[in-house]
Amino acid sequence: MEGNVFAEALEKMDHVKSPEGEILAKPFLDLCKTVLPVLDNFGPAMGPVKSDIGGNISRLETRYLSNQSEFNYLYRIVQSEIESKKVKSSSSCTNALLWLTRAMDFLSELFRNLMVHPDWSMSQVCTDSYDKSLKKWHGWLASSSFSVALKLAPDRKKFMSVVGVKGDDVSDMEDFCGRFSPLLEENHKFLASVGMDNLKA
C-alpha cells in the first residue's frame, strides 16, 4: 500500500534472516532505515535522536561494507570487536548495535501503545513508550532532551495518517510489531551473552 511505512518494512522483514535463522547485517540495517523516517513526524526536536540512530546504522553499515563476506551476519561484527578487544569503546559497532536496538525498542513500544490505547493522546503514548524502553538507560541530559522532543509530538490522528494507517486499520502495524520485537529481543539476548546489554548513556 502506497505511503504505508509498515508494508515496506514487512516486505524487508522477509529477508532479514538467513536460511539457518541468523540475522543478516545489511537486511537488518535496511529494515531499521525503513522505520527511521517515522521520527521526521515529530519535527526538528527529534532531529538529534534521528541523527544518533542514523549514525549507529551508518557505523554498522561501514563495517559491513569493509568486508561483506566476513560481516554478512550481524553478530559477526560484534564478535570481531570482542576478538580485537574494541567492544567497550564508545565508538564501537557493538555500542552502535546496542543503541540502535534500544531506539527501535522505543519505536516498537510507540506503535504498540498506539494500537493498545486508542484513547491515549500522542503525548501519553510517547511518554509511556520512552519510560518502558530508553529512560532507564539515559542519563539526566539525554532524558531531558528526549522529554522535550516528546512534548512536541504531532497529534495522534495526524501521526497515524503520516505513517500510512488509514482509519482504524492497524493490521500492518500489528504485524510489524509482532515480527520486529522478536528480532530486537534476539539482539538483546546476544548482547547480554557478551556482557554488553546493560551500558548506560
Side-chain angles (χ1 to χ4, degrees):
M1 176 169 108
E2 184 67 49
N4 184 327
V5 168
F6 305 104
E8 190 185 343
L10 287 166
E11 210 175 284
K12 290 195 182 303
M13 223 174 271
D14 293 334
H15 310 288
V16 166
K17 287 196 166 187
S18 71
E20 301 75 45
E22 286 195 67
I23 297 178
L24 298 165
K26 183 83 168 77
F28 177 75
L29 297 173
D30 286 346
L31 173 61
C32 293
K33 279 187 207 168
T34 307
V35 189
L36 198 50
V38 166
L39 292 174
D40 291 337
N41 304 307
F42 288 85
M46 259 312 180
V49 177
K50 187 182 176 195
S51 150
D52 190 47
I53 298 169
N56 289 330
I57 292 173
S58 181
R59 195 184 309 166
L60 287 157
E61 200 164 46
T62 301
R63 179 61 55 86
Y64 161 74
L65 291 170
S66 72
N67 191 334
Q68 294 180 33
S69 57
E70 186 184 350
F71 300 129
N72 188 33
Y73 298 115
L74 187 61
Y75 301 156
R76 181 65 200 119
I77 295 173
V78 173
Q79 285 155 343
S80 77
E81 288 189 337
I82 292 169
E83 288 156 19
S84 61
K85 303 203 174 357
K86 290 183 180 150
V87 76
K88 296 221 176 200
S89 155
S90 63
S91 61
S92 73
C93 286
T94 305
N95 206 36
L97 178 61
L98 174 66
W99 285 101
L100 174 60
T101 301
R102 287 174 175 173
M104 292 296 145
D105 284 337
F106 164 71
L107 288 175
S108 292
E109 202 57 58
L110 184 103
F111 301 142
R112 194 172 289 109
N113 273 339
L114 283 166
M115 290 184 298
V116 176
H117 301 287
D119 54 327
W120 280 12
S121 70
M122 199 62 193
S123 177
Q124 281 175 289
V125 165
C126 291
T127 304
D128 184 76
S129 306
Y130 178 67
D131 290 349
K132 284 180 182 163
S133 57
L134 284 167
K135 190 174 184 178
K136 64 182 168 194
W137 305 115
H138 275 171
W140 180 82
L141 192 63
S143 193
S144 303
S145 55
F146 215 91
S147 298
V148 169
L150 296 182
K151 284 188 174 68
L152 301 168
D155 81 35
R156 186 188 174 104
K157 200 171 174 187
K158 182 181 176 211
F159 183 83
M160 293 296 260
S161 75
V162 172
V163 294
V165 173
K166 305 268 188 280
D168 296 327
D169 181 18
V170 293
S171 54
D172 279 348
M173 191 191 277
E174 196 169 3
D175 197 10
F176 172 80
C177 289
R179 292 174 63 194
F180 194 42
S181 295
L183 291 173
L184 300 176
E185 198 49 50
E186 215 171 303
N187 283 354
H188 283 301
K189 277 185 185 153
F190 172 74
L191 289 162
S193 77
V194 296
M196 289 297 291
D197 198 42
N198 57 0
L199 294 184
K200 295 199 169 195

